[in-house]
Amino acid sequence: MASRIEFVEFIADQLKDAGDITYRKMFGEYGIYCNGKIFGVICEDMLYIKITDAGRKICPDLEEAPPYEGAKNYFLMEDVENKEALTNLVAASCRELPEPKPKKRKSK
């Protein structure tokens, strides 16, 4: 079952105080970005956030699970209604994640 766009938009709205939140359809599901950094994925209407040391300090008891078969573990965010906690986790995690690599120009 693919994620519903309404759920993706809800998550983006919940996180608007963390930074510039965008999302992009990827492999039938969605990648979610903050200030250009991909920090998580939405699969089957569930939010998964990349695991960082900062995230572990803020939410040490979060369940970890792979968002899809063959993926590494991410934090599984089951309580997406708690806007403040969600925003704090995403903002701290994104500060720790590396900047996106510059895109290579296609040669003609």
PDB file of all heavy atoms in Angstrom, residues 11-12 14-24 31-41 47 49-50 86-100:
ATOM      1  N   ILE A  11       2.393  15.512   7.480  1.00  0.00           N
ATOM      2  CA  ILE A  11       3.729  15.450   8.081  1.00  0.00           C
ATOM      3  C   ILE A  11       4.511  16.711   7.742  1.00  0.00           C
ATOM      4  O   ILE A  11       5.156  17.312   8.617  1.00  0.00           O
ATOM      5  CB  ILE A  11       4.491  14.188   7.622  1.00  0.00           C
ATOM      6  CG1 ILE A  11       3.795  12.913   8.130  1.00  0.00           C
ATOM      7  CG2 ILE A  11       5.952  14.229   8.053  1.00  0.00           C
ATOM      8  CD1 ILE A  11       3.713  12.772   9.627  1.00  0.00           C
ATOM      9  N   ALA A  12       4.471  17.140   6.499  1.00  0.00           N
ATOM     10  CA  ALA A  12       5.186  18.360   6.097  1.00  0.00           C
ATOM     11  C   ALA A  12       4.676  19.561   6.905  1.00  0.00           C
ATOM     12  O   ALA A  12       5.475  20.399   7.346  1.00  0.00           O
ATOM     13  CB  ALA A  12       5.025  18.597   4.602  1.00  0.00           C
ATOM     14  N   GLN A  14       3.248  19.448   9.911  1.00  0.00           N
ATOM     15  CA  GLN A  14       3.673  19.254  11.299  1.00  0.00           C
ATOM     16  C   GLN A  14       5.110  19.742  11.508  1.00  0.00           C
ATOM     17  O   GLN A  14       5.470  20.194  12.581  1.00  0.00           O
ATOM     18  CB  GLN A  14       3.587  17.773  11.702  1.00  0.00           C
ATOM     19  CG  GLN A  14       2.199  17.251  11.920  1.00  0.00           C
ATOM     20  CD  GLN A  14       1.570  17.786  13.178  1.00  0.00           C
ATOM     21  OE1 GLN A  14       0.983  18.855  13.180  1.00  0.00           O
ATOM     22  NE2 GLN A  14       1.705  17.045  14.268  1.00  0.00           N
ATOM     23  N   LEU A  15       5.939  19.611  10.476  1.00  0.00           N
ATOM     24  CA  LEU A  15       7.367  19.908  10.604  1.00  0.00           C
ATOM     25  C   LEU A  15       7.770  21.293  10.104  1.00  0.00           C
ATOM     26  O   LEU A  15       8.960  21.608  10.069  1.00  0.00           O
ATOM     27  CB  LEU A  15       8.165  18.841   9.842  1.00  0.00           C
ATOM     28  CG  LEU A  15       8.097  17.450  10.460  1.00  0.00           C
ATOM     29  CD1 LEU A  15       8.704  16.433   9.516  1.00  0.00           C
ATOM     30  CD2 LEU A  15       8.798  17.441  11.809  1.00  0.00           C
ATOM     31  N   LYS A  16       6.816  22.132   9.749  1.00  0.00           N
ATOM     32  CA  LYS A  16       7.156  23.418   9.116  1.00  0.00           C
ATOM     33  C   LYS A  16       8.044  24.303   9.980  1.00  0.00           C
ATOM     34  O   LYS A  16       8.781  25.128   9.450  1.00  0.00           O
ATOM     35  CB  LYS A  16       5.896  24.154   8.680  1.00  0.00           C
ATOM     36  CG  LYS A  16       4.995  24.598   9.804  1.00  0.00           C
ATOM     37  CD  LYS A  16       3.727  25.223   9.269  1.00  0.00           C
ATOM     38  CE  LYS A  16       2.781  25.546  10.421  1.00  0.00           C
ATOM     39  NZ  LYS A  16       1.483  25.935   9.918  1.00  0.00           N
ATOM     40  N   ASP A  17       8.048  24.122  11.300  1.00  0.00           N
ATOM     41  CA  ASP A  17       8.904  24.924  12.169  1.00  0.00           C
ATOM     42  C   ASP A  17      10.335  24.398  12.250  1.00  0.00           C
ATOM     43  O   ASP A  17      11.204  25.041  12.844  1.00  0.00           O
ATOM     44  CB  ASP A  17       8.313  25.007  13.581  1.00  0.00           C
ATOM     45  CG  ASP A  17       7.006  25.798  13.610  1.00  0.00           C
ATOM     46  OD1 ASP A  17       6.787  26.636  12.704  1.00  0.00           O
ATOM     47  OD2 ASP A  17       6.199  25.569  14.534  1.00  0.00           O
ATOM     48  N   ALA A  18      10.606  23.251  11.665  1.00  0.00           N
ATOM     49  CA  ALA A  18      11.961  22.683  11.667  1.00  0.00           C
ATOM     50  C   ALA A  18      12.825  23.288  10.562  1.00  0.00           C
ATOM     51  O   ALA A  18      14.051  23.229  10.636  1.00  0.00           O
ATOM     52  CB  ALA A  18      11.911  21.164  11.517  1.00  0.00           C
ATOM     53  N   GLY A  19      12.210  23.841   9.543  1.00  0.00           N
ATOM     54  CA  GLY A  19      12.942  24.406   8.410  1.00  0.00           C
ATOM     55  C   GLY A  19      12.085  24.338   7.164  1.00  0.00           C
ATOM     56  O   GLY A  19      10.868  24.175   7.240  1.00  0.00           O
ATOM     57  N   ASP A  20      12.735  24.436   6.009  1.00  0.00           N
ATOM     58  CA  ASP A  20      12.036  24.363   4.723  1.00  0.00           C
ATOM     59  C   ASP A  20      11.781  22.889   4.407  1.00  0.00           C
ATOM     60  O   ASP A  20      12.691  22.175   3.984  1.00  0.00           O
ATOM     61  CB  ASP A  20      12.880  25.029   3.639  1.00  0.00           C
ATOM     62  CG  ASP A  20      12.214  24.982   2.280  1.00  0.00           C
ATOM     63  OD1 ASP A  20      10.964  24.951   2.229  1.00  0.00           O
ATOM     64  OD2 ASP A  20      12.944  24.973   1.270  1.00  0.00           O
ATOM     65  N   ILE A  21      10.563  22.440   4.634  1.00  0.00           N
ATOM     66  CA  ILE A  21      10.205  21.023   4.462  1.00  0.00           C
ATOM     67  C   ILE A  21       9.651  20.800   3.061  1.00  0.00           C
ATOM     68  O   ILE A  21       8.717  21.479   2.637  1.00  0.00           O
ATOM     69  CB  ILE A  21       9.170  20.576   5.514  1.00  0.00           C
ATOM     70  CG1 ILE A  21       9.689  20.816   6.931  1.00  0.00           C
ATOM     71  CG2 ILE A  21       8.782  19.109   5.299  1.00  0.00           C
ATOM     72  CD1 ILE A  21      10.929  20.034   7.303  1.00  0.00           C
ATOM     73  N   THR A  22      10.245  19.844   2.364  1.00  0.00           N
ATOM     74  CA  THR A  22       9.776  19.450   1.041  1.00  0.00           C
ATOM     75  C   THR A  22       9.730  17.921   0.994  1.00  0.00           C
ATOM     76  O   THR A  22      10.296  17.243   1.856  1.00  0.00           O
ATOM     77  CB  THR A  22      10.698  19.982  -0.076  1.00  0.00           C
ATOM     78  OG1 THR A  22      12.030  19.508   0.158  1.00  0.00           O
ATOM     79  CG2 THR A  22      10.699  21.509  -0.128  1.00  0.00           C
ATOM     80  N   TYR A  23       9.070  17.404  -0.012  1.00  0.00           N
ATOM     81  CA  TYR A  23       9.010  15.956  -0.189  1.00  0.00           C
ATOM     82  C   TYR A  23       9.026  15.655  -1.667  1.00  0.00           C
ATOM     83  O   TYR A  23       8.706  16.488  -2.503  1.00  0.00           O
ATOM     84  CB  TYR A  23       7.774  15.350   0.496  1.00  0.00           C
ATOM     85  CG  TYR A  23       6.481  16.043   0.157  1.00  0.00           C
ATOM     86  CD1 TYR A  23       5.748  15.685  -0.966  1.00  0.00           C
ATOM     87  CD2 TYR A  23       5.993  17.069   0.954  1.00  0.00           C
ATOM     88  CE1 TYR A  23       4.561  16.326  -1.285  1.00  0.00           C
ATOM     89  CE2 TYR A  23       4.810  17.719   0.645  1.00  0.00           C
ATOM     90  CZ  TYR A  23       4.099  17.339  -0.472  1.00  0.00           C
ATOM     91  OH  TYR A  23       2.930  17.977  -0.789  1.00  0.00           O
ATOM     92  N   ARG A  24       9.420  14.432  -1.970  1.00  0.00           N
ATOM     93  CA  ARG A  24       9.507  14.007  -3.365  1.00  0.00           C
ATOM     94  C   ARG A  24       9.137  12.532  -3.455  1.00  0.00           C
ATOM     95  O   ARG A  24       9.552  11.724  -2.627  1.00  0.00           O
ATOM     96  CB  ARG A  24      10.941  14.223  -3.852  1.00  0.00           C
ATOM     97  CG  ARG A  24      11.070  14.127  -5.351  1.00  0.00           C
ATOM     98  CD  ARG A  24      12.412  14.632  -5.798  1.00  0.00           C
ATOM     99  NE  ARG A  24      13.323  13.500  -5.797  1.00  0.00           N
ATOM    100  CZ  ARG A  24      14.622  13.595  -5.827  1.00  0.00           C
ATOM    101  NH1 ARG A  24      15.216  14.751  -5.815  1.00  0.00           N
ATOM    102  NH2 ARG A  24      15.371  12.520  -5.857  1.00  0.00           N
ATOM    103  N   GLY A  31      10.374  10.604  -0.185  1.00  0.00           N
ATOM    104  CA  GLY A  31      11.510  11.085   0.580  1.00  0.00           C
ATOM    105  C   GLY A  31      11.113  12.433   1.145  1.00  0.00           C
ATOM    106  O   GLY A  31      10.400  13.198   0.495  1.00  0.00           O
ATOM    107  N   ILE A  32      11.542  12.741   2.369  1.00  0.00           N
ATOM    108  CA  ILE A  32      11.196  14.020   2.986  1.00  0.00           C
ATOM    109  C   ILE A  32      12.478  14.749   3.368  1.00  0.00           C
ATOM    110  O   ILE A  32      13.426  14.146   3.862  1.00  0.00           O
ATOM    111  CB  ILE A  32      10.204  13.838   4.154  1.00  0.00           C
ATOM    112  CG1 ILE A  32       9.688  15.186   4.643  1.00  0.00           C
ATOM    113  CG2 ILE A  32      10.768  12.991   5.251  1.00  0.00           C
ATOM    114  CD1 ILE A  32       8.370  15.115   5.380  1.00  0.00           C
ATOM    115  N   TYR A  33      12.496  16.058   3.087  1.00  0.00           N
ATOM    116  CA  TYR A  33      13.700  16.879   3.194  1.00  0.00           C
ATOM    117  C   TYR A  33      13.468  18.072   4.114  1.00  0.00           C
ATOM    118  O   TYR A  33      12.362  18.601   4.181  1.00  0.00           O
ATOM    119  CB  TYR A  33      14.071  17.447   1.817  1.00  0.00           C
ATOM    120  CG  TYR A  33      14.346  16.412   0.769  1.00  0.00           C
ATOM    121  CD1 TYR A  33      13.306  15.710   0.160  1.00  0.00           C
ATOM    122  CD2 TYR A  33      15.644  16.134   0.366  1.00  0.00           C
ATOM    123  CE1 TYR A  33      13.553  14.754  -0.816  1.00  0.00           C
ATOM    124  CE2 TYR A  33      15.907  15.181  -0.619  1.00  0.00           C
ATOM    125  CZ  TYR A  33      14.854  14.502  -1.203  1.00  0.00           C
ATOM    126  OH  TYR A  33      15.109  13.558  -2.165  1.00  0.00           O
ATOM    127  N   CYS A  34      14.540  18.504   4.761  1.00  0.00           N
ATOM    128  CA  CYS A  34      14.535  19.735   5.545  1.00  0.00           C
ATOM    129  C   CYS A  34      15.727  20.563   5.086  1.00  0.00           C
ATOM    130  O   CYS A  34      16.877  20.089   5.170  1.00  0.00           O
ATOM    131  CB  CYS A  34      14.638  19.432   7.037  1.00  0.00           C
ATOM    132  SG  CYS A  34      14.601  20.907   8.072  1.00  0.00           S
ATOM    133  N   ASN A  35      15.459  21.747   4.568  1.00  0.00           N
ATOM    134  CA  ASN A  35      16.519  22.622   4.062  1.00  0.00           C
ATOM    135  C   ASN A  35      17.419  21.904   3.058  1.00  0.00           C
ATOM    136  O   ASN A  35      18.631  22.059   3.066  1.00  0.00           O
ATOM    137  CB  ASN A  35      17.338  23.206   5.213  1.00  0.00           C
ATOM    138  CG  ASN A  35      16.493  24.016   6.172  1.00  0.00           C
ATOM    139  OD1 ASN A  35      15.509  24.643   5.767  1.00  0.00           O
ATOM    140  ND2 ASN A  35      16.830  23.999   7.437  1.00  0.00           N
ATOM    141  N   GLY A  36      16.810  21.089   2.213  1.00  0.00           N
ATOM    142  CA  GLY A  36      17.534  20.391   1.154  1.00  0.00           C
ATOM    143  C   GLY A  36      18.172  19.074   1.552  1.00  0.00           C
ATOM    144  O   GLY A  36      18.688  18.354   0.709  1.00  0.00           O
ATOM    145  N   LYS A  37      18.156  18.740   2.833  1.00  0.00           N
ATOM    146  CA  LYS A  37      18.744  17.478   3.303  1.00  0.00           C
ATOM    147  C   LYS A  37      17.649  16.435   3.453  1.00  0.00           C
ATOM    148  O   LYS A  37      16.636  16.678   4.117  1.00  0.00           O
ATOM    149  CB  LYS A  37      19.399  17.647   4.678  1.00  0.00           C
ATOM    150  CG  LYS A  37      20.604  18.527   4.700  1.00  0.00           C
ATOM    151  CD  LYS A  37      21.141  18.582   6.123  1.00  0.00           C
ATOM    152  CE  LYS A  37      22.294  19.539   6.254  1.00  0.00           C
ATOM    153  NZ  LYS A  37      22.793  19.562   7.650  1.00  0.00           N
ATOM    154  N   ILE A  38      17.872  15.269   2.873  1.00  0.00           N
ATOM    155  CA  ILE A  38      16.896  14.194   3.088  1.00  0.00           C
ATOM    156  C   ILE A  38      17.120  13.635   4.493  1.00  0.00           C
ATOM    157  O   ILE A  38      18.231  13.272   4.857  1.00  0.00           O
ATOM    158  CB  ILE A  38      16.970  13.100   2.003  1.00  0.00           C
ATOM    159  CG1 ILE A  38      15.824  12.106   2.194  1.00  0.00           C
ATOM    160  CG2 ILE A  38      18.336  12.433   1.962  1.00  0.00           C
ATOM    161  CD1 ILE A  38      15.553  11.215   1.012  1.00  0.00           C
ATOM    162  N   PHE A  39      16.077  13.668   5.286  1.00  0.00           N
ATOM    163  CA  PHE A  39      16.205  13.189   6.661  1.00  0.00           C
ATOM    164  C   PHE A  39      15.332  11.977   6.935  1.00  0.00           C
ATOM    165  O   PHE A  39      15.452  11.347   7.977  1.00  0.00           O
ATOM    166  CB  PHE A  39      15.866  14.300   7.664  1.00  0.00           C
ATOM    167  CG  PHE A  39      14.420  14.698   7.664  1.00  0.00           C
ATOM    168  CD1 PHE A  39      13.493  14.008   8.438  1.00  0.00           C
ATOM    169  CD2 PHE A  39      13.976  15.748   6.884  1.00  0.00           C
ATOM    170  CE1 PHE A  39      12.154  14.373   8.430  1.00  0.00           C
ATOM    171  CE2 PHE A  39      12.655  16.128   6.881  1.00  0.00           C
ATOM    172  CZ  PHE A  39      11.731  15.439   7.652  1.00  0.00           C
ATOM    173  N   GLY A  40      14.473  11.637   5.997  1.00  0.00           N
ATOM    174  CA  GLY A  40      13.610  10.505   6.260  1.00  0.00           C
ATOM    175  C   GLY A  40      12.805  10.093   5.049  1.00  0.00           C
ATOM    176  O   GLY A  40      12.945  10.661   3.962  1.00  0.00           O
ATOM    177  N   VAL A  41      11.989   9.081   5.273  1.00  0.00           N
ATOM    178  CA  VAL A  41      11.098   8.584   4.234  1.00  0.00           C
ATOM    179  C   VAL A  41       9.727   8.330   4.842  1.00  0.00           C
ATOM    180  O   VAL A  41       9.595   8.103   6.044  1.00  0.00           O
ATOM    181  CB  VAL A  41      11.631   7.290   3.558  1.00  0.00           C
ATOM    182  CG1 VAL A  41      12.892   7.567   2.776  1.00  0.00           C
ATOM    183  CG2 VAL A  41      11.868   6.194   4.569  1.00  0.00           C
ATOM    184  N   LEU A  47       6.153   7.427   9.164  1.00  0.00           N
ATOM    185  CA  LEU A  47       7.306   8.306   9.056  1.00  0.00           C
ATOM    186  C   LEU A  47       8.528   7.634   9.657  1.00  0.00           C
ATOM    187  O   LEU A  47       8.512   7.217  10.814  1.00  0.00           O
ATOM    188  CB  LEU A  47       7.029   9.631   9.770  1.00  0.00           C
ATOM    189  CG  LEU A  47       8.196  10.613   9.855  1.00  0.00           C
ATOM    190  CD1 LEU A  47       8.661  11.047   8.463  1.00  0.00           C
ATOM    191  CD2 LEU A  47       7.814  11.816  10.707  1.00  0.00           C
ATOM    192  N   ILE A  49      12.689   8.314  10.265  1.00  0.00           N
ATOM    193  CA  ILE A  49      13.696   9.364  10.306  1.00  0.00           C
ATOM    194  C   ILE A  49      15.069   8.725  10.465  1.00  0.00           C
ATOM    195  O   ILE A  49      15.253   7.806  11.275  1.00  0.00           O
ATOM    196  CB  ILE A  49      13.408  10.340  11.464  1.00  0.00           C
ATOM    197  CG1 ILE A  49      12.077  11.044  11.199  1.00  0.00           C
ATOM    198  CG2 ILE A  49      14.545  11.346  11.631  1.00  0.00           C
ATOM    199  CD1 ILE A  49      11.614  11.939  12.310  1.00  0.00           C
ATOM    200  N   LYS A  50      16.035   9.241   9.701  1.00  0.00           N
ATOM    201  CA  LYS A  50      17.392   8.709   9.780  1.00  0.00           C
ATOM    202  C   LYS A  50      17.892   8.762  11.218  1.00  0.00           C
ATOM    203  O   LYS A  50      17.665   9.739  11.932  1.00  0.00           O
ATOM    204  CB  LYS A  50      18.343   9.509   8.872  1.00  0.00           C
ATOM    205  CG  LYS A  50      18.119   9.252   7.406  1.00  0.00           C
ATOM    206  CD  LYS A  50      19.154   9.992   6.577  1.00  0.00           C
ATOM    207  CE  LYS A  50      18.974   9.680   5.100  1.00  0.00           C
ATOM    208  NZ  LYS A  50      20.035  10.297   4.285  1.00  0.00           N
ATOM    209  N   LEU A  86       8.294  16.134  17.475  1.00  0.00           N
ATOM    210  CA  LEU A  86       8.660  15.788  16.096  1.00  0.00           C
ATOM    211  C   LEU A  86       9.582  16.854  15.507  1.00  0.00           C
ATOM    212  O   LEU A  86      10.617  16.541  14.912  1.00  0.00           O
ATOM    213  CB  LEU A  86       7.385  15.647  15.272  1.00  0.00           C
ATOM    214  CG  LEU A  86       7.452  14.937  13.944  1.00  0.00           C
ATOM    215  CD1 LEU A  86       8.005  13.541  14.089  1.00  0.00           C
ATOM    216  CD2 LEU A  86       6.074  14.894  13.317  1.00  0.00           C
ATOM    217  N   THR A  87       9.232  18.112  15.698  1.00  0.00           N
ATOM    218  CA  THR A  87      10.040  19.220  15.189  1.00  0.00           C
ATOM    219  C   THR A  87      11.429  19.218  15.825  1.00  0.00           C
ATOM    220  O   THR A  87      12.443  19.388  15.132  1.00  0.00           O
ATOM    221  CB  THR A  87       9.326  20.564  15.443  1.00  0.00           C
ATOM    222  OG1 THR A  87       8.097  20.563  14.717  1.00  0.00           O
ATOM    223  CG2 THR A  87      10.171  21.740  15.005  1.00  0.00           C
ATOM    224  N   ASN A  88      11.498  19.026  17.142  1.00  0.00           N
ATOM    225  CA  ASN A  88      12.797  19.000  17.823  1.00  0.00           C
ATOM    226  C   ASN A  88      13.682  17.881  17.313  1.00  0.00           C
ATOM    227  O   ASN A  88      14.881  18.073  17.078  1.00  0.00           O
ATOM    228  CB  ASN A  88      12.609  18.865  19.338  1.00  0.00           C
ATOM    229  CG  ASN A  88      12.051  20.118  19.968  1.00  0.00           C
ATOM    230  OD1 ASN A  88      12.165  21.211  19.418  1.00  0.00           O
ATOM    231  ND2 ASN A  88      11.435  19.967  21.128  1.00  0.00           N
ATOM    232  N   LEU A  89      13.105  16.704  17.128  1.00  0.00           N
ATOM    233  CA  LEU A  89      13.877  15.560  16.639  1.00  0.00           C
ATOM    234  C   LEU A  89      14.398  15.816  15.231  1.00  0.00           C
ATOM    235  O   LEU A  89      15.577  15.600  14.942  1.00  0.00           O
ATOM    236  CB  LEU A  89      13.033  14.290  16.667  1.00  0.00           C
ATOM    237  CG  LEU A  89      13.682  13.059  16.058  1.00  0.00           C
ATOM    238  CD1 LEU A  89      14.945  12.664  16.812  1.00  0.00           C
ATOM    239  CD2 LEU A  89      12.703  11.894  16.025  1.00  0.00           C
ATOM    240  N   VAL A  90      13.548  16.284  14.353  1.00  0.00           N
ATOM    241  CA  VAL A  90      13.950  16.508  12.966  1.00  0.00           C
ATOM    242  C   VAL A  90      14.991  17.619  12.873  1.00  0.00           C
ATOM    243  O   VAL A  90      15.993  17.486  12.178  1.00  0.00           O
ATOM    244  CB  VAL A  90      12.723  16.793  12.070  1.00  0.00           C
ATOM    245  CG1 VAL A  90      13.139  17.316  10.711  1.00  0.00           C
ATOM    246  CG2 VAL A  90      11.893  15.527  11.928  1.00  0.00           C
ATOM    247  N   ALA A  91      14.790  18.714  13.588  1.00  0.00           N
ATOM    248  CA  ALA A  91      15.745  19.825  13.542  1.00  0.00           C
ATOM    249  C   ALA A  91      17.121  19.378  14.040  1.00  0.00           C
ATOM    250  O   ALA A  91      18.144  19.675  13.407  1.00  0.00           O
ATOM    251  CB  ALA A  91      15.227  21.006  14.360  1.00  0.00           C
ATOM    252  N   ALA A  92      17.164  18.660  15.151  1.00  0.00           N
ATOM    253  CA  ALA A  92      18.444  18.190  15.696  1.00  0.00           C
ATOM    254  C   ALA A  92      19.099  17.180  14.759  1.00  0.00           C
ATOM    255  O   ALA A  92      20.312  17.237  14.522  1.00  0.00           O
ATOM    256  CB  ALA A  92      18.224  17.569  17.072  1.00  0.00           C
ATOM    257  N   SER A  93      18.312  16.280  14.219  1.00  0.00           N
ATOM    258  CA  SER A  93      18.860  15.277  13.306  1.00  0.00           C
ATOM    259  C   SER A  93      19.431  15.923  12.050  1.00  0.00           C
ATOM    260  O   SER A  93      20.524  15.570  11.597  1.00  0.00           O
ATOM    261  CB  SER A  93      17.784  14.263  12.919  1.00  0.00           C
ATOM    262  OG  SER A  93      17.375  13.527  14.050  1.00  0.00           O
ATOM    263  N   CYS A  94      18.713  16.896  11.516  1.00  0.00           N
ATOM    264  CA  CYS A  94      19.163  17.556  10.281  1.00  0.00           C
ATOM    265  C   CYS A  94      20.436  18.360  10.487  1.00  0.00           C
ATOM    266  O   CYS A  94      21.259  18.443   9.576  1.00  0.00           O
ATOM    267  CB  CYS A  94      18.060  18.427   9.706  1.00  0.00           C
ATOM    268  SG  CYS A  94      16.773  17.426   8.947  1.00  0.00           S
ATOM    269  N   ARG A  95      20.613  18.929  11.661  1.00  0.00           N
ATOM    270  CA  ARG A  95      21.863  19.654  11.934  1.00  0.00           C
ATOM    271  C   ARG A  95      23.058  18.705  11.867  1.00  0.00           C
ATOM    272  O   ARG A  95      24.158  19.104  11.519  1.00  0.00           O
ATOM    273  CB  ARG A  95      21.804  20.333  13.306  1.00  0.00           C
ATOM    274  CG  ARG A  95      20.982  21.602  13.306  1.00  0.00           C
ATOM    275  CD  ARG A  95      21.150  22.397  14.594  1.00  0.00           C
ATOM    276  NE  ARG A  95      20.660  21.700  15.771  1.00  0.00           N
ATOM    277  CZ  ARG A  95      19.407  21.773  16.225  1.00  0.00           C
ATOM    278  NH1 ARG A  95      18.511  22.505  15.587  1.00  0.00           N
ATOM    279  NH2 ARG A  95      19.059  21.116  17.310  1.00  0.00           N
ATOM    280  N   GLU A  96      22.829  17.454  12.209  1.00  0.00           N
ATOM    281  CA  GLU A  96      23.904  16.461  12.226  1.00  0.00           C
ATOM    282  C   GLU A  96      24.141  15.804  10.867  1.00  0.00           C
ATOM    283  O   GLU A  96      25.229  15.302  10.601  1.00  0.00           O
ATOM    284  CB  GLU A  96      23.569  15.389  13.272  1.00  0.00           C
ATOM    285  CG  GLU A  96      24.722  14.478  13.587  1.00  0.00           C
ATOM    286  CD  GLU A  96      24.396  13.570  14.748  1.00  0.00           C
ATOM    287  OE1 GLU A  96      24.039  14.078  15.836  1.00  0.00           O
ATOM    288  OE2 GLU A  96      24.487  12.353  14.563  1.00  0.00           O
ATOM    289  N   LEU A  97      23.151  15.795  10.017  1.00  0.00           N
ATOM    290  CA  LEU A  97      23.293  15.135   8.716  1.00  0.00           C
ATOM    291  C   LEU A  97      24.182  15.968   7.791  1.00  0.00           C
ATOM    292  O   LEU A  97      24.185  17.198   7.862  1.00  0.00           O
ATOM    293  CB  LEU A  97      21.912  14.939   8.077  1.00  0.00           C
ATOM    294  CG  LEU A  97      21.008  13.933   8.774  1.00  0.00           C
ATOM    295  CD1 LEU A  97      19.600  13.992   8.188  1.00  0.00           C
ATOM    296  CD2 LEU A  97      21.576  12.527   8.667  1.00  0.00           C
ATOM    297  N   PRO A  98      24.927  15.301   6.906  1.00  0.00           N
ATOM    298  CA  PRO A  98      25.806  16.036   5.988  1.00  0.00           C
ATOM    299  C   PRO A  98      25.003  16.837   4.967  1.00  0.00           C
ATOM    300  O   PRO A  98      23.867  16.508   4.647  1.00  0.00           O
ATOM    301  CB  PRO A  98      26.618  14.930   5.312  1.00  0.00           C
ATOM    302  CG  PRO A  98      25.763  13.709   5.417  1.00  0.00           C
ATOM    303  CD  PRO A  98      24.983  13.855   6.697  1.00  0.00           C
ATOM    304  N   GLU A  99      25.647  17.877   4.460  1.00  0.00           N
ATOM    305  CA  GLU A  99      25.041  18.666   3.392  1.00  0.00           C
ATOM    306  C   GLU A  99      24.910  17.779   2.155  1.00  0.00           C
ATOM    307  O   GLU A  99      25.743  16.904   1.923  1.00  0.00           O
ATOM    308  CB  GLU A  99      25.913  19.880   3.056  1.00  0.00           C
ATOM    309  CG  GLU A  99      25.944  20.925   4.150  1.00  0.00           C
ATOM    310  CD  GLU A  99      24.592  21.568   4.408  1.00  0.00           C
ATOM    311  OE1 GLU A  99      23.823  21.781   3.454  1.00  0.00           O
ATOM    312  OE2 GLU A  99      24.305  21.854   5.591  1.00  0.00           O
ATOM    313  N   PRO A 100      23.880  18.013   1.342  1.00  0.00           N
ATOM    314  CA  PRO A 100      23.748  17.212   0.115  1.00  0.00           C
ATOM    315  C   PRO A 100      24.911  17.502  -0.826  1.00  0.00           C
ATOM    316  O   PRO A 100      25.433  18.613  -0.875  1.00  0.00           O
ATOM    317  CB  PRO A 100      22.420  17.671  -0.483  1.00  0.00           C
ATOM    318  CG  PRO A 100      22.037  18.906   0.237  1.00  0.00           C
ATOM    319  CD  PRO A 100      22.809  18.973   1.513  1.00  0.00           C
TER     320      PRO A 100
END
